[in-house]
Amino acid sequence: MSALALELSTIGVLMRRALNEILRVPGAAIPGILAPSLFMLGLTGAFGALTELTGFSTESYISFILPVSLMQAAGFAGAATGVNTVRDIELGWFDRLYLAPTPRPALLAGIVLSAGFRALLPMTAVLAIGLLLGAHWPGVPGLLIAILLALTFSAVSASWTVGLALRFRTQAAAPLMQASMFIAVLFTTSYAPLELLTGWLQTVASINPVTQVVEGVRQGFVEGVSFAGTWPALVVLAVLLGLTFAFALRGLATTGR
Amino acid sequence: MTAIEVQGLEREFKGGVKAVQGIDLAVGEGEIYAFLGPNGAGKTTTVRMLTTLLRPTGGRALVAGHDVAKEAAAVRRQIGVALQEAALDPLMSGHELMRLQATLHGLPRAEGRRRADALVERVGLGYAKDRRVGTYSGGMRRRLDLGMALVHEPRVLFLDEPTTGLDPSSRAAIWDEVRRLNDEGTTVFLTTQYLEEADQLADRVGIIDDGRMAIEGTPAALKAQVGQPHLDVCLTDGANDHAEGVLARFGEVRPGIEGVHFQVTLAGGAGDIAPVVRALDEAGLAVAQLNLVNPTLDDVFLAETGRHLEGDQDTGEVAALSLESG
Ligand SMILES: Nc1ncnc2c1ncn2[C@@H]1O[C@H](COP(=O)(O)OP(=O)(O)O)[C@@H](O)[C@H]1O
Ligand SMILES: [Mg+2]
């Protein structure tokens, strides 16, 4: 088999294993669906009136918050991949992967990309609930861009948390994985536009690169998609994916040995 | 050619635990080598270094001609590994796992499927291949794991305690498979806590204790070092005063209970048993019980380390022959 074919089929079997797990233990998906859905419902209930302030690009708060929930769903799915990786390390499953002659990036890619599968169900649930409750229909391009960006974010989240898993090698790191993703999405323009944020939150949100991604996912739901609204998100995701993947790859190559 | 060549191999863990403290060994192509030692001796640590899972902190090791630290990928292509805890995804079936393993080792899809089919049959799991591994017994898991280690037809096979915790029939099934693989030319490096396993399977045994090689050799040579086979003779009560004289013809005699029990070192080995029985019979001496006592690897371990091998249920003596006569 050619080297590329070997790498692709390795990625394929690892993704299939993850899909297999999702399908055979459907109950495990429930927290990943509930958390972002409840987050969306809770915030809409509490802060729905915020959109009456000037500065909001929409008068529908659920349209504003639905994209954030999509990002939360993607981030949690990535973190679940990290948590499962700890379990796989403890079970010795990782030894099986290490013992394969496949190049390490292919092993990691198979694991990281499978986060996309995990994200699909929660993202669908969030979209369905949000649209039912009156969020603006983003249009097909807006929807596709939102899904693409959120799925890529799940891979970023998975790379980051798998990197943590490979370093900590214990279930005790699970809250760190989940919290880091929660915070990464929350400390952005998640609640309100940047102009309306104040103090440290405004500073953090304006520095936090995830803000660009949240805005990119959000554009179709609040005003309509544009190239100018999309490319910063793509650039940020490419850089984040590169950095977090390298972080995980380093963990794969050096730690626990 | 040597399949495994190890010089001064060491591993110190963080916190200063020296699990392996300078091991030298060489395993020839086509050999079965058993690494025998109690829990905590450093067997797993050694196997993990030889299979590229753990970096040595000292010394070096070549497996199939490649350095485990510098040419890990080349080593991985040549070795099959079944670790102490068989890592199997309980949600997948035996056949699915076998196919996954084939893909991980670079077999094209059709060939992988063919190998997977052949191997589940070979390890006797054809009847359960579509069942989830979560429902398998310990013996079935071990056999599946062994089969998975063979999917890319490795030259050198590493088995870390392949039968620990298995019942005798599962153990025998693994032993048969290991012998068969070895007959086909695979070099086998296995670790075990079981004397009998090393004795039965291995061409050579290295006894490891506390991270160091205590002694190494063929099972026969190791046992010969600690003693000769001898015969325990128990006679029925009676006028046995000439018994010692009769037995002395066969070797050195040590009387036990006066006139009833004797130990004879058999100069001619086990082949002397029948002549001894005949000679006693001709002298009118009635034998109550006869035991051939062979030195065991436990005796070797005891002689080298001053301790018995723990975790082994063997009585220590192999009663090859025990007969009652009137
Ligand atoms: N990751 C580790 N960190 C620290 N000590 C370890 C680690 N792995 C093994 N050890 C220690 O090294 C010694 C040898 O362990 P091991 O190789 O597993 O022995 P065996 O396989 O012969 O039972 C033991 O004292 C064990 O506690
Ligand atoms: Mg061990």
Side-chain angles (χ1 to χ4, degrees):
Chain A
M1 219 182 333
S2 79
L4 181 65
L6 170 58
E7 288 171 32
L8 289 179
S9 55
T10 299
I11 293 171
V13 285
L14 294 178
M15 288 178 73
R16 197 148 59 233
R17 171 173 179 252
L19 184 62
N20 186 58
E21 180 172 335
I22 294 165
L23 297 177
R24 293 185 189 176
V25 194
I30 292 172
I33 295 173
L34 278 185
S37 305
L38 292 177
F39 173 84
M40 177 171 68
L41 294 174
L43 281 185
T44 309
F47 302 126
L50 276 182
T51 46
E52 284 157 28
L53 297 174
T54 49
F56 265 91
S57 45
T58 174
E59 61 292 355
S60 154
Y61 194 69
I62 192 151
S63 301
F64 191 80
I65 213 72
L66 165 58
V68 180
S69 290
L70 281 180
M71 289 287 286
Q72 296 286 20
F76 283 141
T81 305
V83 174
N84 283 359
T85 298
V86 174
R87 180 205 59 196
D88 281 348
I89 292 170
E90 287 174 345
L91 279 178
W93 177 264
F94 249 69
D95 291 336
R96 188 175 297 290
L97 302 185
Y98 278 122
L99 285 167
T102 329
R104 313 290 95 169
L107 295 176
L108 197 58
I111 296 167
V112 162
L113 293 178
S114 67
F117 285 141
R118 272 203 189 83
L120 276 180
L121 209 54
M123 280 169 56
T124 308
V126 165
L127 269 172
I129 295 171
L131 291 172
L132 273 177
L133 292 182
H136 290 177
W137 170 249
V140 173
L143 187 64
L144 289 181
I145 288 173
I147 290 173
L148 172 78
L149 295 178
L151 285 181
T152 311
F153 184 68
S154 76
V156 170
S157 165
S159 296
W160 166 246
T161 56
V162 167
L164 291 177
L166 286 164
R167 282 164 179 82
F168 288 98
R169 300 185 162 250
T170 154
Q171 297 286 353
L176 174 62
M177 298 176 190
Q178 285 147 353
S180 60
M181 289 332 294
F182 189 71
I183 288 169
V185 175
L186 212 58
F187 289 0
T188 61
T189 50
S190 52
Y191 295 124
L194 198 56
E195 308 85 79
L196 295 185
L197 295 177
T198 55
W200 64 270
L201 186 55
Q202 185 183 37
T203 315
V204 171
S206 60
I207 309 172
N208 186 351
V210 180
T211 294
Q212 301 301 330
V213 187
V214 170
E215 292 296 330
V217 173
R218 181 179 276 157
Q219 54 178 327
F221 293 89
V222 295
E223 46 191 24
V225 291
S226 66
F227 181 67
T230 310
W231 73 261
L234 288 173
V235 169
V236 162
L237 283 173
V239 171
L240 285 181
L241 192 56
L243 290 176
T244 52
F245 198 82
F247 171 70
L249 205 53
R250 219 183 125 63
L252 195 61
T254 58
T255 61
R257 303 185 56 210
Chain B
M1 160 152 183
T2 36
I4 305 173
E5 209 177 322
V6 175
Q7 282 153 9
L9 195 66
E10 291 175 7
R11 176 67 199 207
E12 180 174 347
F13 286 109
K14 282 193 199 108
V17 180
K18 290 193 174 112
V20 174
Q21 320 189 32
I23 291 216
D24 301 292
L25 62 86
V27 179
E29 194 103 354
E31 246 191 312
I32 300 184
Y33 188 95
F35 218 33
L36 175 68
N39 247 329
K43 302 184 295 297
T44 297
T45 306
T46 304
V47 167
R48 292 182 72 84
M49 287 192 282
L50 295 182
T51 56
T52 77
L53 289 172
L54 200 63
R55 240 190 275 279
T57 51
R60 65 184 213 123
L62 299 181
V63 173
H66 299 286
D67 189 303
V68 294
K70 299 190 191 101
E71 305 163 277
V75 171
R76 287 186 201 116
R77 270 190 278 277
Q78 304 284 348
I79 62 172
V81 185
L83 293 172
Q84 195 167 348
E85 307 292 336
L88 302 170
D89 183 337
L91 296 174
M92 292 172 77
S93 74
H95 197 249
E96 285 171 336
L97 271 168
M98 200 71 100
R99 273 176 17 226
L100 179 141
Q101 180 86 355
T103 304
L104 284 179
H105 284 271
L107 273 70
R109 185 188 288 259
E111 194 188 335
R113 182 177 287 272
R114 208 169 40 72
R115 286 287 295 162
D117 285 338
L119 281 170
V120 284
E121 294 299 336
R122 175 168 185 159
V123 295
L125 290 173
Y127 71 98
K129 67 176 182 183
D130 295 321
R131 258 164 56 188
R132 286 191 192 177
V133 168
T135 67
Y136 282 21
S137 71
M140 291 165 78
R141 283 165 199 251
R142 285 301 176 87
R143 294 207 313 267
L144 178 64
D145 197 32
L146 176 58
M148 287 171 72
L150 304 177
V151 79
H152 53 300
E153 299 179 314
R155 272 170 62 192
V156 186
L157 184 62
F158 289 89
L159 305 173
D160 194 9
E161 301 203 19
T163 67
T164 296
L166 296 189
D167 60 84
S169 75
S170 301
R171 186 179 298 180
I174 300 261
W175 288 0
D176 285 346
E177 190 52 45
V178 170
R179 285 196 193 97
R180 198 144 62 103
L181 282 163
N182 183 245
D183 288 344
E184 294 167 7
T186 311
T187 306
V188 181
F189 183 99
L190 67 90
T191 77
T192 183
Q193 305 185 35
Y194 299 122
L195 305 155
E196 199 195 347
E197 186 156 279
D199 207 352
Q200 291 267 325
L201 281 179
D203 298 315
R204 278 189 311 133
V205 177
I207 292 184
I208 177 174
D209 184 44
D210 201 15
R212 291 191 186 84
M213 187 78 90
I215 190 170
E216 192 191 40
T218 65
L222 292 179
K223 288 183 286 190
Q225 263 178 5
V226 289
Q228 301 266 306
H230 63 265
L231 202 58
D232 254 354
V233 182
C234 238
L235 301 174
T236 52
D237 287 343
N240 294 335
D241 44 337
H242 56 302
E244 194 167 339
V246 174
L247 292 170
R249 284 187 247 148
F250 298 92
E252 195 187 325
V253 181
R254 273 188 297 155
I257 305 160
E258 176 99 59
V260 177
H261 182 234
F262 305 88
Q263 279 191 352
V264 200
T265 307
L266 292 184
D272 272 352
I273 296 172
V276 167
V277 175
R278 257 196 308 277
L280 290 169
D281 196 40
E282 278 161 17
L285 295 162
V287 177
Q289 206 182 356
L290 202 57
N291 283 321
L292 179 66
V293 179
N294 278 310
T296 67
L297 288 175
D298 194 34
D299 298 326
V300 178
F301 191 82
L302 181 67
E304 289 302 319
T305 68
R307 286 176 290 117
H308 285 282
L309 256 175
E310 54 189 335
D312 196 273
Q313 301 307 309
D314 290 357
T315 53
E317 298 188 343
V318 182
L321 183 70
S322 176
L323 66 95
E324 307 277 334
S325 77

